[in-house]
Amino acid sequence: MADKTTTTNITGNPVLLGAIVLLVLLIAAFAGNFYLMGGGGSSLAGHAANLKVSAQGIAKHAAMVADGNVNLAAQLTAEQQNFENSLAALRNSSAGAGPAQGTISQIGSMWNELKGHISVIDGKKAALSAVQETIADININLQLLQQENNKIVRGMASDGTAAIEIVTAQRQALLLERMSHTIDKLIDRGSDPALEEQYQRDSESFMAVLRGLRNGDKSLVLTRITDASQLAILNRNASLFQSVDASAREIIAASADITRSEEHTSELQSPDHLVCRLLLEKKK
């Protein structure tokens, strides 16, 4: 994990973004043609055109923010405000009570639903930066832990420590590698109780062996290390792992957001969903 770069899609699921874009474009289609269904004069057509432009801007900026370009979040917010202003103008116009009333109402309903899904993207801005910083910290500390643990193993071998104890110390490296893979999977998949339990077991095992090397542990068949330089390394390892563990738990907490975004995706994909029905009707 220490030698690779991890990228994170803050939607947690690209299908969610696709559904958002489809929904925005569908709104744009309704808005752009609403005056053909009884919208009226040029001023109302202008509001409808502005609605369409704002919808297209939302689709563009939502895609870019979801890809990690959080600097465009302000533009996404501005486009949402422009959309709402144009929609309010249409609702308050004569068209809001005329033949196009049904279309305007439908656009409003779809927009209210869409805002909830866009907030899933918008709400990930801080999470993305935090996760990236956390991953960097974990990478550095895991690499240091591997290096320091190798020193412990070599020292034990030089001191003539029993083979069974050396093997137990060597397994620390395997635990670190497995925890690294578990954290990677949590970043990719989101909240997963099985992965979280796996990390918990491995972290507890790692700390139990570390304590056994420092203090001795009959159940683990470990004799207390007395060499001052080796003890100093073990103390550093304890401090490093505390940092790794704290960062990993931040990842676990953030992974719940990814799962919630996937729940939004499942809802959008439901055959009973309004958007799906409208898309199917549009294809006929």
Side-chain angles (χ1 to χ4, degrees):
M1 184 170 181
D3 296 324
K4 66 187 175 187
T5 300
T6 304
T7 57
T8 305
N9 185 306
I10 55 177
T11 62
N13 191 321
V15 179
L16 173 60
L17 179 58
I20 289 175
V21 172
L22 282 174
L23 182 53
V24 170
L25 294 177
L26 188 59
I27 292 174
F30 277 119
N33 295 297
F34 111 94
Y35 61 90
L36 296 178
M37 295 178 282
S42 59
S43 63
L44 298 180
H47 289 311
N50 290 338
L51 200 68
K52 181 176 181 180
V53 170
S54 296
Q56 291 169 337
I58 290 169
K60 173 185 175 181
H61 291 118
M64 297 176 77
V65 171
D67 283 338
N69 195 339
V70 295
N71 293 328
L72 292 175
Q75 285 91 322
L76 176 59
T77 300
E79 293 291 0
Q80 292 182 76
Q81 187 60 57
N82 290 339
F83 186 97
E84 292 192 337
N85 291 342
S86 296
L87 183 58
L90 288 171
R91 281 173 170 160
N92 295 330
S93 69
S94 58
Q101 180 180 10
T103 302
I104 295 172
S105 177
Q106 190 171 32
I107 291 172
S109 296
M110 295 170 68
W111 173 242
N112 286 335
E113 186 170 7
L114 174 59
K115 285 192 295 184
H117 298 299
I118 290 179
S119 69
V120 174
I121 291 177
D122 199 44
K124 296 289 194 303
K125 292 180 295 182
L128 176 62
S129 298
V131 164
Q132 289 174 337
E133 292 175 2
T134 301
I135 292 169
D137 290 341
I138 290 176
N139 287 342
I140 293 170
N141 288 329
L142 282 174
Q143 186 177 40
L144 290 173
L145 277 166
Q146 292 283 16
Q147 294 170 354
E148 296 296 282
N149 191 70
N150 289 339
K151 294 177 183 178
I152 292 294
V153 172
R154 289 196 298 267
M156 293 172 70
S158 298
D159 292 341
T161 304
I164 188 172
E165 295 188 51
I166 294 175
V167 169
T168 300
Q170 287 175 323
R171 286 176 181 166
Q172 292 287 77
L174 297 177
L175 287 172
L176 289 170
E177 187 65 22
R178 190 158 64 189
M179 283 186 280
S180 170
H181 291 316
T182 300
I183 293 168
D184 285 342
K185 290 176 182 177
L186 281 167
I187 294 169
D188 291 338
R189 300 179 188 177
S191 182
D192 186 320
L195 289 175
E196 293 169 20
E197 184 178 349
Q198 178 68 60
Y199 174 81
Q200 182 68 25
R201 286 198 304 268
D202 289 342
S203 64
E204 289 176 353
S205 296
F206 183 89
M207 283 303 301
V209 171
L210 188 57
R211 286 192 298 268
L213 292 171
R214 289 197 294 181
N215 306 318
D217 190 314
K218 291 183 179 180
S219 65
L220 294 175
V221 195
L222 289 173
T223 304
R224 178 179 179 270
I225 289 177
T226 57
D227 181 83
S229 61
Q230 292 285 84
L231 284 173
I233 292 174
L234 289 173
N235 290 333
R236 286 200 299 272
N237 283 359
S239 178
L240 284 170
F241 188 72
Q242 285 177 356
S243 178
V244 168
D245 188 54
S247 297
R249 295 188 188 284
E250 289 178 13
I251 294 290
I252 291 172
S255 69
D257 288 337
I258 299 176
T259 299
R260 282 194 289 271
S261 73
E262 291 173 346
E263 291 170 353
H264 280 258
T265 304
S266 299
E267 181 184 350
L268 281 173
Q269 291 176 300
S270 169
D272 295 328
H273 196 278
L274 169 64
V275 178
C276 292
R277 293 202 305 273
L278 290 171
L279 286 172
L280 291 172
E281 290 171 3
K282 195 171 181 66
K283 291 179 180 179
K284 293 180 181 178

